[in-house]
Amino acid sequence: MVSHQVPRWSAWIFRASPGWQRTACAPGASVGQQRWPRIPWQVSGPLAFRGCASTAPRVPRVMPTSERYPVQRLPFSVVSEEDLAAFERIIPGRVITDPEELEVANVDWLRTVRGCSKVLLRPRTTEEVSHILRHCHQRNLAVNPQGGNTGMVGGSVPVFDEIILSTALMNQVISFHDVSGILVCQAGCVLEELNHYVQERGFIMPLDLGAKGSCHIGGNVATNAGGLRFLRYGSLRGTVLGLEVVLADGTVLDCLTSLRKDNTGYDLKQLFIGSEGTLGVITAVSISCPPRPKAVNVAFLGCPGFAEVLQAFSTCKGTLGEILSAFEFMDAECMQLVGQHLHLARPVRESPFYILVETSGSSAEHDAEKLDGFLEQALGSGLVTDGTVGTDQSKAQSLWALRERITEALSHDGYVFKYDVSLPVERFYDLVSDLRARLGPRAKHVVGYGHLGDGNLHLNVTAEAFSTALLGALEPYVYTWTAAQRGSVSAEHGLGLRKKDVLGYSKPPTAVQLMWQLKALLDPRGLLNPYKTLPAHA
Amino acid sequence: MVSHQVPRWSAWIFRASPGWQRTACAPGASVGQQRWPRIPWQVSGPLAFRGCASTAPRVPRVMPTSERYPVQRLPFSVVSEEDLAAFERIIPGRVITDPEELEVANVDWLRTVRGCSKVLLRPRTTEEVSHILRHCHQRNLAVNPQGGNTGMVGGSVPVFDEIILSTALMNQVISFHDVSGILVCQAGCVLEELNHYVQERGFIMPLDLGAKGSCHIGGNVATNAGGLRFLRYGSLRGTVLGLEVVLADGTVLDCLTSLRKDNTGYDLKQLFIGSEGTLGVITAVSISCPPRPKAVNVAFLGCPGFAEVLQAFSTCKGTLGEILSAFEFMDAECMQLVGQHLHLARPVRESPFYILVETSGSSAEHDAEKLDGFLEQALGSGLVTDGTVGTDQSKAQSLWALRERITEALSHDGYVFKYDVSLPVERFYDLVSDLRARLGPRAKHVVGYGHLGDGNLHLNVTAEAFSTALLGALEPYVYTWTAAQRGSVSAEHGLGLRKKDVLGYSKPPTAVQLMWQLKALLDPRGLLNPYKTLPAHA
């Protein structure tokens, strides 16, 4: 997320009262806050979390999905020795049946769902994927496509014994155009590695998310990932230019164009963006990358109330204009958890709310002037009471870590009930306050954070352990509350296994019916990622 | 396109040699070029062209489509007196059978195709559209949805006697959110009127095109219109947040959400964006509008060659960064036609190529500094030899008119063979040069212009009249040439009637087959906009 910079001050810190000061210092040095830690960036990836979780002795074994959720196995065939032999012929040496390797692929990184697949396949090419799916189609074998397994809704692991089709070895860049910034690559490329690749060539990936160190671009597209750059670069529906997809019967659908504009008929690739592997397996992606900004600044600010957060956002849009690239918020409880579980220090004085504002632009001088203008206005009018700005990469990354690692901090706090909703910004935080009052001491923590600039709230509730009673207090309350505001019950995480039955809170029956018709058209035997995305009853 | 400005210089003009000067002047005054005309902005809309064409006595009657093209009427029912009575009950007083009114709706504005519909319906509400389509579905009557009738490929008028379903009276704004800039409106709102509406509230529409004075937002979405702001604000696939659509059987599909993020299941609205009314009738649109820029500058520059145009584009991206909002180009023949037919004066010295660069930003001072930087670099290195900059609205509009009114100038030059292709920018102009050599004196003019920043070339060939011999020299030559570069044979105009059979140059058979399957799913009787978009033989 943070790229080449031309620092004006490497970092400075200020206070609203009695008067704010800046402290210039050498690039890379930490200032002001002595407790500020230096965080290795990659630690924030899900692989790191998963590592932590599996080595911690107190972590209990994840209950099989079929025991926790009311789901019945559909009458697919069971993988036989003959099937394994057939797969071995298609991808020699890449048919995995080792239980330890399967354990990692059967459990989601949040440790909430567990499948019991007996085989993991690692194709390298589209042709291999096509052969595998053709075989599965003939044999009526269900398939769970898997990227980096970083999904939030149980969509990336099997529910029963579905074959796991991993894109991990499909990790080659196919082409990159130095002038247009158009990247074509296989689906299994890791987002962070792609970002490094295009950064070296003067561009950045149009999306960024906490899981970047593990997630695959194919999985990002299949789940229509939003993330931290959405505010500036928009949806994957605009930035993805082409896809190559293998359909359920093994047919290869080549829509892998690299054109910014192409109005030749229906835009078929859109069917697969956000369909969570239920309509086809994405094998390659063509994506438009924006130029790498010459200057990046990150401001981390304390706000006295949520009304001030909203007003700061309006001020921010007015003063920063086209260089605003992120506007994130977190509440005081988030900061407390990040400090408690990850030992990250609060870089500003304690406040009820914190915001992170990022600018990305082509002129360090102009950007700094704009940011100064915003900060002066925000401080002068009391919207912000305290803050720090990072203009060098290390400081900026440290500030981002406070926001990005909230998910990780939560996972250390106990069982996490996760909600990811879109709401009108005026009502954005009311849901958190309402829920805190409703649950009282039954919850350890009720926290709110997220992409305020996109109207996307991450609402999380932690408890010592999973409890159906607490679940009953949360659901359908959260969904009816959201539906009453005409919000979305899944802003960016998708539906997967755990949210599919709440689809009706955001989509009318006609739309759900059309979804089922599309599923029947593209995957009539229902082999691809079964039990996911579509509600159980049509 | 041009909004509130904070002028630094209202306009200035320069020459590369012997030395360039700036001339500051009062806002609104014309400078430097005495012949510079003041153009009423709205004149450039297609209604104006159409007006011109119909009053000009030399314009011949447009040949019926069924005589010019090898197309057979499908076995739909014929509208009966009972049908008219039924429509009259649904939309009293808005069932049009007057031949003069039908004449306008039966012929496209380019005057290349003509239907023979006997009835035009003007519903005001979604419910009325639903009732009409339910009736047509029961009676097996074909329907041609029509917005502003500004399409370029014969998609907006009937081929035979299809019922014309006009969105002209569905022109109400439903809601606008002053903070988020999200507009919800009926499909028949005129783009330019919407732009005025949101401009007054501090925003702009994310798209702009020459036909803005006539085109409807529903038609823009149905054809996935690109246009002049695509470079900055991207595709409608990203900016359209929700749609309401009436399906072929009259079912209303409500996907009219107003959320920046919504990952609840398949994104059904995408099916209808760009499907040219063949899968459903769009009745309402929810769209995200960007903030109105505080400063807009337009530079019109002469370039000595196409290599310099490309290099100027690279320089432009590097120096203007996030404020670049348009990079358009036109060749010398375009300028000649605009002068000859519309009496618009060339604002700079004669050059082989011209580029129009627009910046839109939040700080007049910063933007002017960035633009100065670009111009100094471009002039210093000989990429640009002459230019003028408009920082006030009137001058900026005059400069834009040179580019926007090329289509109109061409229509005065005779019969126009129009091509709209996406190509890799390196080969962008070669197609024009190749074709000029190939056609020799058989063509009056072969011109190239378009959205270079998006890789989108408008290639136009004019002749005294339509000629199958000339058509034979053009096609499939243009399409095979484009396909050899892996380009798109329709970058933004769509397929409509006239391009549907060339789909195969840009899409593989698997994709065409899937298009037909989607058509069969959503419109099994093939009633909606028949003879369009899908190639004649599956």
Side-chain angles (χ1 to χ4, degrees):
Chain A
M1 156 186 8
V2 178
S3 55
H4 177 66
Q5 297 159 41
V6 184
R8 203 167 82 125
W9 308 288
S10 70
W12 49 272
I13 198 153
F14 56 85
R15 294 265 182 268
S17 146
W20 54 283
Q21 323 96 37
R22 293 172 184 171
T23 313
C25 69
S30 68
V31 289
Q33 302 291 325
Q34 291 308 315
R35 289 181 302 148
W36 191 261
R38 209 181 155 84
I39 304 149
W41 202 231
Q42 287 76 357
V43 169
S44 61
L47 280 180
F49 317 165
R50 210 187 292 130
C52 291
S54 61
T55 53
R58 69 179 182 86
V59 176
R61 194 169 183 275
V62 179
M63 193 189 287
T65 304
S66 55
E67 292 174 26
R68 176 169 291 167
Y69 292 89
V71 58
Q72 295 289 317
R73 189 182 183 281
L74 292 168
F76 302 116
S77 304
V78 174
V79 176
S80 66
E81 286 302 322
E82 289 74 25
D83 293 321
L84 292 178
F87 294 142
E88 190 60 36
R89 283 193 295 276
I90 301 169
I91 48 166
R94 287 173 280 132
V95 179
I96 316 298
T97 52
D98 172 65
E100 269 187 42
E101 285 192 75
L102 282 166
E103 165 75 11
V104 176
N106 265 316
V107 178
D108 72 323
W109 76 269
L110 287 171
R111 305 185 58 76
T112 57
V113 283
R114 169 190 293 278
C116 55
S117 178
K118 301 285 187 293
V119 60
L120 166 72
L121 305 179
R122 289 197 178 126
R124 281 206 187 96
T125 67
T126 303
E127 203 183 12
E128 289 174 351
V129 173
S130 169
H131 286 173
I132 290 166
L133 290 190
R134 198 180 309 143
H135 177 88
C136 293
H137 191 252
Q138 284 161 355
R139 282 272 299 121
N140 199 40
L141 288 164
V143 176
N144 179 97
Q146 188 175 79
N149 190 9
T150 62
M152 308 292 265
V153 286
S156 58
V157 295
V159 175
F160 295 97
D161 58 342
E162 301 92 90
I163 292 165
I164 302 171
L165 183 67
S166 165
T167 51
L169 299 184
M170 302 183 72
N171 57 0
Q172 301 297 303
V173 169
I174 297 168
S175 67
F176 184 73
H177 194 279
D178 278 343
V179 177
S180 64
I182 295 170
L183 170 77
V184 183
C185 65
Q186 284 190 298
C189 292
V190 171
L191 178 60
E192 191 169 48
E193 289 169 12
L194 289 177
N195 203 48
H196 289 321
Y197 179 91
V198 300
Q199 266 197 351
E200 284 166 10
R201 289 153 181 86
F203 293 83
I204 57 169
M205 293 298 286
L207 79 160
D208 185 31
L209 47 152
K212 58 178 159 279
S214 310
C215 64
H216 295 185
I217 189 71
N220 296 148
V221 174
T223 55
N224 189 29
L228 306 165
R229 287 178 182 157
F230 190 100
L231 182 68
R232 175 67 167 273
Y233 302 112
S235 159
L236 287 173
R237 299 198 174 275
T239 53
V240 170
L241 302 179
L243 289 182
E244 181 188 62
V245 180
V246 181
L247 303 180
D249 65 358
T251 302
V252 178
L253 180 67
D254 178 5
C255 297
L256 199 60
T257 54
S258 299
L259 305 163
R260 283 175 57 82
K261 284 179 169 179
D262 180 20
N263 265 354
T264 50
Y266 307 157
D267 190 2
L268 302 173
K269 70 172 183 283
Q270 298 290 345
L271 282 168
F272 305 97
I273 300 176
S275 64
E276 307 187 293
T278 60
L279 298 180
V281 178
I282 294 169
T283 49
V285 174
S286 166
I287 191 164
S288 175
C289 300
R292 180 180 183 171
K294 289 178 185 147
V296 174
N297 298 294
V298 176
F300 197 93
L301 312 165
C303 288
F306 195 71
E308 285 80 4
V309 170
L310 289 182
Q311 242 179 298
F313 180 48
S314 284
T315 306
C316 204
K317 284 198 291 185
T319 51
L320 297 179
E322 62 280 0
I323 64 165
L324 178 63
S325 53
F327 192 99
E328 299 285 316
F329 101 106
M330 58 197 277
D331 62 17
E333 288 200 39
C334 287
M335 183 64 87
Q336 186 196 325
L337 290 172
V338 163
Q340 181 185 337
H341 295 296
L342 308 177
H343 312 295
L344 302 188
R346 178 165 39 79
V348 295
R349 280 191 306 206
E350 195 166 358
S351 299
F353 293 95
Y354 305 91
I355 57 175
L356 185 152
V357 175
E358 188 192 66
T359 69
S360 304
S362 59
S363 161
E365 198 186 325
H366 291 167
D367 294 3
E369 275 182 37
K370 287 185 177 102
L371 186 57
D372 280 4
F374 161 66
L375 292 172
E376 276 176 37
Q377 211 173 316
L379 279 161
S381 53
L383 302 178
V384 158
T385 48
D386 190 16
T388 179
V389 174
T391 56
D392 73 274
Q393 189 163 344
S394 153
K395 178 77 188 288
Q397 286 180 347
S398 300
L399 294 174
W400 262 114
L402 287 164
R403 162 64 188 84
E404 283 195 289
R405 297 183 71 193
I406 296 171
T407 317
E408 183 186 354
L410 284 161
S411 73
H412 288 285
D413 200 52
Y415 188 90
V416 191
F417 296 89
K418 298 187 92 67
Y419 302 95
D420 160 52
V421 297
S422 278
L423 287 172
V425 283
E426 306 85 55
R427 299 298 315 273
F428 206 70
Y429 200 70
D430 295 350
L431 177 55
V432 183
S433 310
D434 280 11
L435 210 58
R436 210 169 266 154
R438 178 181 168 85
L439 298 179
R442 283 187 287 179
K444 273 181 84 176
H445 289 101
V446 179
V447 307
Y449 63 100
H451 317 292
L452 190 130
D454 304 314
N456 180 187
L457 170 73
H458 294 317
L459 164 70
N460 284 244
V461 177
T462 62
E464 287 302 343
F466 176 82
S467 130
T468 47
L470 190 51
L471 186 66
L474 284 163
E475 299 178 18
Y477 183 81
V478 170
Y479 301 125
T480 50
W481 202 104
T482 304
Q485 307 297 325
R486 292 187 61 98
S488 167
V489 293
S490 186
E492 61 175 9
H493 290 171
L495 300 171
L497 173 79
R498 287 193 282 110
K499 305 280 174 177
K500 72 191 169 83
D501 289 320
V502 301
L503 175 59
Y505 289 96
S506 290
K507 283 262 200 308
T510 324
V512 177
Q513 191 190 340
L514 182 51
M515 280 177 59
W516 270 111
Q517 288 175 307
L518 289 168
K519 174 72 176 174
L521 175 68
L522 282 153
D523 180 17
R525 298 187 185 177
L527 299 174
L528 293 179
N529 223 7
Y531 323 106
K532 316 280 174 66
T533 310
L534 297 129
H537 307 290
Chain B
M1 154 188 9
V2 178
S3 54
H4 176 66
Q5 294 159 41
V6 184
R8 203 165 84 124
W9 308 288
S10 72
W12 48 270
I13 199 154
F14 55 84
R15 293 266 183 268
S17 145
W20 54 283
Q21 323 94 39
R22 294 173 183 172
T23 314
C25 70
S30 69
V31 289
Q33 301 292 322
Q34 292 309 313
R35 289 181 302 149
W36 190 261
R38 207 180 157 83
I39 303 148
W41 201 230
Q42 286 77 359
V43 168
S44 61
L47 280 181
F49 318 165
R50 209 187 292 130
C52 290
S54 61
T55 53
R58 70 180 181 85
V59 175
R61 193 169 184 275
V62 179
M63 191 189 288
T65 303
S66 54
E67 291 175 28
R68 178 169 290 168
Y69 292 90
V71 58
Q72 295 290 317
R73 189 181 183 284
L74 293 169
F76 302 115
S77 304
V78 173
V79 176
S80 65
E81 287 302 321
E82 289 73 27
D83 292 321
L84 292 178
F87 294 142
E88 190 60 37
R89 282 193 295 276
I90 300 169
I91 48 167
R94 289 173 278 132
V95 178
I96 315 298
T97 52
D98 172 66
E100 270 189 40
E101 285 192 75
L102 281 166
E103 164 75 12
V104 176
N106 264 317
V107 179
D108 73 321
W109 77 268
L110 287 171
R111 304 184 58 76
T112 56
V113 284
R114 170 189 293 279
C116 55
S117 178
K118 299 286 188 293
V119 61
L120 166 71
L121 305 178
R122 288 196 178 127
R124 283 207 186 97
T125 67
T126 302
E127 202 182 12
E128 289 174 351
V129 174
S130 169
H131 285 172
I132 290 166
L133 290 190
R134 198 179 310 145
H135 178 88
C136 292
H137 190 251
Q138 283 161 357
R139 281 273 298 121
N140 199 39
L141 289 164
V143 175
N144 178 97
Q146 189 175 78
N149 190 10
T150 61
M152 308 293 265
V153 286
S156 57
V157 296
V159 175
F160 294 97
D161 58 342
E162 301 91 270
I163 292 165
I164 303 172
L165 182 68
S166 165
T167 51
L169 300 184
M170 303 183 72
N171 57 1
Q172 300 298 303
V173 169
I174 297 168
S175 68
F176 184 73
H177 193 279
D178 278 344
V179 178
S180 64
I182 296 171
L183 171 76
V184 183
C185 65
Q186 283 191 296
C189 292
V190 171
L191 178 60
E192 191 168 49
E193 289 169 12
L194 288 178
N195 203 48
H196 289 320
Y197 179 91
V198 300
Q199 267 196 353
E200 285 167 8
R201 288 152 181 87
F203 293 84
I204 57 169
M205 293 299 286
L207 79 160
D208 185 31
L209 48 151
K212 57 177 161 280
S214 309
C215 64
H216 295 185
I217 188 71
N220 295 149
V221 175
T223 56
N224 189 29
L228 307 165
R229 287 180 182 156
F230 189 99
L231 182 67
R232 175 67 168 273
Y233 302 112
S235 158
L236 288 174
R237 299 199 175 274
T239 53
V240 170
L241 302 180
L243 290 182
E244 182 190 61
V245 180
V246 181
L247 303 180
D249 64 358
T251 302
V252 178
L253 180 67
D254 178 6
C255 298
L256 199 59
T257 54
S258 298
L259 304 164
R260 284 176 57 83
K261 285 181 170 177
D262 179 20
N263 264 355
T264 49
Y266 307 158
D267 190 4
L268 301 172
K269 70 173 183 285
Q270 298 290 345
L271 283 167
F272 306 96
I273 300 176
S275 64
E276 306 186 294
T278 60
L279 298 181
V281 177
I282 294 170
T283 49
V285 174
S286 166
I287 191 165
S288 175
C289 300
R292 181 180 183 172
K294 290 179 185 145
V296 174
N297 298 294
V298 176
F300 196 94
L301 312 166
C303 287
F306 195 72
E308 285 80 5
V309 170
L310 289 182
Q311 241 179 298
F313 179 48
S314 283
T315 306
C316 206
K317 285 197 291 184
T319 52
L320 297 178
E322 62 280 359
I323 65 165
L324 178 63
S325 54
F327 191 99
E328 300 285 316
F329 101 106
M330 57 197 278
D331 63 16
E333 288 200 39
C334 287
M335 184 65 86
Q336 186 196 325
L337 291 171
V338 163
Q340 181 185 338
H341 296 296
L342 308 178
H343 312 296
L344 301 188
R346 179 166 38 78
V348 296
R349 282 191 304 207
E350 194 166 358
S351 299
F353 293 95
Y354 304 91
I355 57 175
L356 184 152
V357 176
E358 187 191 68
T359 67
S360 303
S362 59
S363 160
E365 198 186 324
H366 292 167
D367 294 3
E369 275 182 37
K370 287 185 177 100
L371 186 57
D372 280 6
F374 161 66
L375 292 171
E376 276 176 37
Q377 212 174 318
L379 280 160
S381 53
L383 301 179
V384 158
T385 49
D386 191 15
T388 178
V389 174
T391 55
D392 73 275
Q393 189 163 344
S394 153
K395 178 78 187 288
Q397 286 179 348
S398 300
L399 294 173
W400 262 115
L402 288 163
R403 163 63 188 84
E404 284 195 287
R405 297 183 71 192
I406 296 171
T407 316
E408 183 185 355
L410 285 161
S411 73
H412 289 283
D413 201 53
Y415 187 90
V416 191
F417 297 89
K418 298 186 92 67
Y419 302 94
D420 160 51
V421 296
S422 278
L423 286 173
V425 284
E426 307 84 55
R427 299 299 314 274
F428 205 71
Y429 201 70
D430 294 349
L431 177 56
V432 183
S433 309
D434 280 12
L435 210 58
R436 211 169 264 153
R438 177 181 169 86
L439 299 179
R442 284 186 286 178
K444 273 180 84 174
H445 288 102
V446 178
V447 308
Y449 64 99
H451 317 292
L452 189 129
D454 305 313
N456 180 188
L457 171 73
H458 294 319
L459 164 69
N460 284 243
V461 177
T462 62
E464 288 301 344
F466 176 83
S467 131
T468 47
L470 191 50
L471 187 65
L474 284 163
E475 299 177 17
Y477 183 80
V478 171
Y479 302 125
T480 51
W481 202 103
T482 304
Q485 306 297 324
R486 294 187 60 98
S488 167
V489 293
S490 186
E492 61 173 11
H493 290 171
L495 300 170
L497 173 80
R498 288 193 282 110
K499 304 280 173 177
K500 72 190 168 85
D501 289 320
V502 301
L503 175 58
Y505 288 96
S506 290
K507 282 262 200 309
T510 324
V512 178
Q513 192 190 340
L514 182 51
M515 279 177 61
W516 270 111
Q517 289 174 307
L518 289 168
K519 174 73 175 171
L521 175 68
L522 282 154
D523 179 17
R525 298 187 185 176
L527 300 173
L528 293 180
N529 223 6
Y531 322 106
K532 318 278 175 63
T533 311
L534 297 129
H537 307 289

